[in-house]
Amino acid sequence: MKGKNSPHKAVTRRICQRTVVMPAILLIGLILPFLFVRIAFLVLESATVCSSSIECMKWKFFGGSNATLLREELTRALLEATNSVDDKSGIATVEGSNSLSSFEDLVRGMMSNRQDIKNFAFNTKAIILKMEHIVQTAKRHESIYWHLASHGVPKCMHCLSLKLAEEYAINAVARSRLPPPEFVSRLTDPSFYHVVLLTDNVLAASVVISSTINTSSNPEKWVFHVVTDKKTYTSMHAWFAVNTIDSAVVEVKGLHQYDWSHEINVGVKEMLEIHHQIRNNIYRNLKEEGFEYEEEHDHKLEALSPSCISLLNHLRIYLPELFPDLNKVVFLDDDIVVQRDISSLWDLDLNERVIGAVFDSWCGDDCCPGRKYIDYFNFSNPVISSNLDYDSCGWLYGMNVFDLQRWRKTNITAVYHQWLKLSLNSGFILWHPGALPPALIAFEGYVHRIDPSWHLAGLGYQHPQVDKYMLEAAAVIHFSGPAKPWLEIGDPEVKGLWYRHINFSNEYVTQCRVMG
């Protein structure tokens, strides 16, 4: 999908190389302490049967040739080195061992300098610490490079957007009305199934719509409302105008075409500015910490993604204002694939709640692995601990049913803004970065739990742990996470499920060399 000299491809190549090297480095780091001791013992044992006086003289710096005594003394020295090296001296020892690149160098240096066994042990410890430092550095670099690669846009998708924009400018068909006049009435008809997509990704929108129609028993009942930004509007419109869908209705609307009130405009601007400040704060903190590797930094690196400050990514909290003439919608993220008919979502009884969502509990009753509130919020802060239950299970964004009519009777959007301001005033310490935490609070008490088989998320992570049965049975699979299926870093075992909904014989797909 990338050009030969694409910088994105170069980054990806480095990631792949590191991925291959990492297991070896980790293995060395784990076995090195035992390896050094074992080799030392074997060499010492050989001293008892040395064939010449010269060989035996090599071990005199250890204090003699008695193997038992040498073992005991070496063991004591190694334990002393391990127990006495604190952080500061450990760092100094590592820095002082740059000339020791191997165990052979260590032994050779000990022999030539006739140093005692204690120095030998401390230098052995230095090499071990040095290797551990290399392992940690490699892990940090791998994580940073992988997340950096996830921020890129493939060359073929740039090409697709540019060619479609050109088509919009020169081809009257690409500018034709969407939907055609005879279908305009369907845009607000409650008897049809209304799906909302907020995206600036033409190919992703195409996959969502194609997979929904291809798996539906009543494709003519679907109406797709695609909302995009001004820069992508011409490309998105041209794609669906030229590639008409006979069985369904598609509407493409740009944000610049909305005429919102001053109050809404102020609220949207304020929301986006706070999310920008959250991202900038995360970046400053990571920079001050030197991007030192810790597992929780993966979430912070993910929050630096351009999508996390995209207006389209946060506008879902304004769905009632985006669609004032609709009372119910199915919301789909642009990184999902529909695998079976989701028409029955439209008939779900939400029990007077606002949103229908899956709680990540496919592993059984009361099971919520990695998705509890404690995984999102800082419960050491009294503002959080006094308002939320750390043991509550969070729900999944990305495939949801919204009752917009009930939503308009609540203060959900206002509560969302209140908590954003609290987060700002607290220095962004109330929750971990991401779009979901403030939504979890805003929709508290308004969520209806739907069956887990509707929505399987988490396919966009580096090593997705997905049950094969659940993958096949899920109505919607969601590439939530940095590794989107259109990126080279995506898992090859699952991103093929996305590519099978692309028409590779399409003129624009062929010209831009989109390849699965």
Side-chain angles (χ1 to χ4, degrees), residues 14-29:
R14 290 197 297 273
I15 293 168
C16 294
Q17 290 170 348
R18 290 182 180 276
T19 303
V20 173
V21 173
M22 277 300 297
I25 293 177
L26 289 171
L27 184 60
I28 292 172

Side-chain angles (χ1 to χ4, degrees), residues 173-174 176-180 183 206 209-210 213 236-250 503 506 508:
V173 175
S176 59
R177 186 171 177 179
L178 282 178
F183 296 131
S206 174
I209 294 175
S210 296
I213 292 173
M236 191 77 73
H237 187 107
W239 174 268
F240 289 106
V242 174
N243 301 296
T244 56
I245 301 173
D246 296 331
S247 55
V249 169
V250 177
N503 177 13
N506 180 276
Y508 305 104

Side-chain angles (χ1 to χ4, degrees), residues 169-417:
I170 65 176
N171 186 353
V173 175
R175 297 192 300 272
S176 59
R177 186 171 177 179
L178 282 178
E182 61 269 25
F183 296 131
V184 170
S185 61
R186 294 188 185 184
L187 296 179
T188 56
D189 190 333
S191 66
F192 286 84
Y193 310 139
H194 296 270
V195 174
V196 171
L197 286 88
L198 308 178
T199 179
D200 60 356
N201 189 321
V202 176
L203 204 58
S206 174
V207 168
V208 174
I209 294 175
S210 296
S211 62
T212 304
I213 292 173
N214 293 339
T215 55
S216 177
S217 57
N218 297 296
E220 70 282 352
K221 293 283 289 183
W222 291 99
V223 178
F224 296 92
H225 305 267
V226 181
V227 179
T228 190
D229 55 22
K230 188 174 183 179
K231 68 177 175 61
T232 313
Y233 171 74
T234 56
S235 303
M236 191 77 73
H237 187 107
W239 174 268
F240 289 106
V242 174
N243 301 296
T244 56
I245 301 173
D246 296 331
S247 55
V249 169
V250 177
E251 174 193 32
V252 176
K253 197 168 184 179
L255 291 176
H256 59 288
Q257 296 173 323
Y258 282 90
D259 185 20
W260 282 337
S261 68
H262 175 72
E263 181 182 1
I264 294 176
N265 281 326
V266 169
V268 170
K269 183 179 179 181
E270 179 186 68
M271 173 183 68
L272 197 59
E273 285 177 350
I274 292 177
H275 282 295
H276 270 275
Q277 291 184 56
I278 291 173
R279 182 183 185 276
N280 293 338
N281 181 69
I282 294 167
Y283 177 77
R284 283 194 302 270
N285 290 341
L286 282 172
K287 191 175 180 180
E288 289 172 3
E289 295 165 5
F291 288 89
E292 287 299 322
Y293 178 81
E294 293 180 14
E295 285 188 7
E296 60 266 25
H297 283 185
D298 282 345
H299 300 292
K300 295 179 181 179
L301 288 169
E302 188 176 340
L304 295 180
S305 169
S307 64
C308 288
I309 55 173
S310 167
L311 176 57
L312 290 169
N313 192 46
H314 297 290
L315 266 184
R316 63 190 76 186
I317 199 67
Y318 279 95
L319 283 177
E321 288 73 27
L322 284 167
F323 301 99
D325 298 320
L326 294 178
N327 291 331
K328 191 175 187 180
V329 297
V330 173
F331 176 83
L332 298 178
D333 264 340
D334 65 359
D335 54 353
I336 69 101
V337 175
V338 178
Q339 297 195 126
R340 62 181 172 87
D341 193 355
I342 60 172
S343 302
S344 55
L345 275 176
W346 197 255
D347 299 320
L348 282 179
D349 182 2
L350 298 183
N351 293 321
E352 299 187 355
R353 305 291 175 89
V354 170
I355 176 176
V358 166
F359 289 71
D360 201 7
S361 56
W362 48 265
C363 56
D365 295 338
D366 299 323
C367 181
C368 189
R371 307 297 299 185
K372 290 183 180 293
Y373 274 27
I374 196 170
D375 299 304
Y376 293 108
F377 298 99
N378 176 18
F379 278 89
S380 64
N381 190 290
V383 175
I384 294 296
S385 58
S386 61
N387 284 279
L388 302 174
D389 177 8
Y390 74 94
D391 203 38
S392 294
C393 189
W395 44 271
L396 298 179
Y397 242 155
M399 195 290 297
N400 307 106
V401 184
F402 287 100
D403 187 327
L404 302 184
Q405 190 174 23
R406 288 198 180 97
W407 187 341
R408 294 184 185 102
K409 297 177 182 178
T410 71
N411 63 344
I412 288 173
T413 304
V415 170
Y416 181 90
H417 276 275

Side-chain angles (χ1 to χ4, degrees), residues 402-464:
F402 287 100
D403 187 327
L404 302 184
Q405 190 174 23
R406 288 198 180 97
W407 187 341
R408 294 184 185 102
K409 297 177 182 178
T410 71
N411 63 344
I412 288 173
T413 304
V415 170
Y416 181 90
H417 276 275
Q418 289 170 10
W419 278 93
L420 278 184
K421 291 176 183 177
L422 277 175
S423 176
L424 173 66
N425 295 333
S426 69
F428 308 111
I429 61 171
L430 298 184
W431 56 70
H432 298 307
L436 184 57
L440 290 176
I441 302 176
F443 284 98
E444 182 77 13
Y446 293 105
V447 186
H448 173 70
R449 183 189 295 259
I450 63 177
D451 191 273
S453 65
W454 280 112
H455 186 183
L456 179 64
L459 300 187
Y461 287 95
Q462 195 163 9
H463 303 293

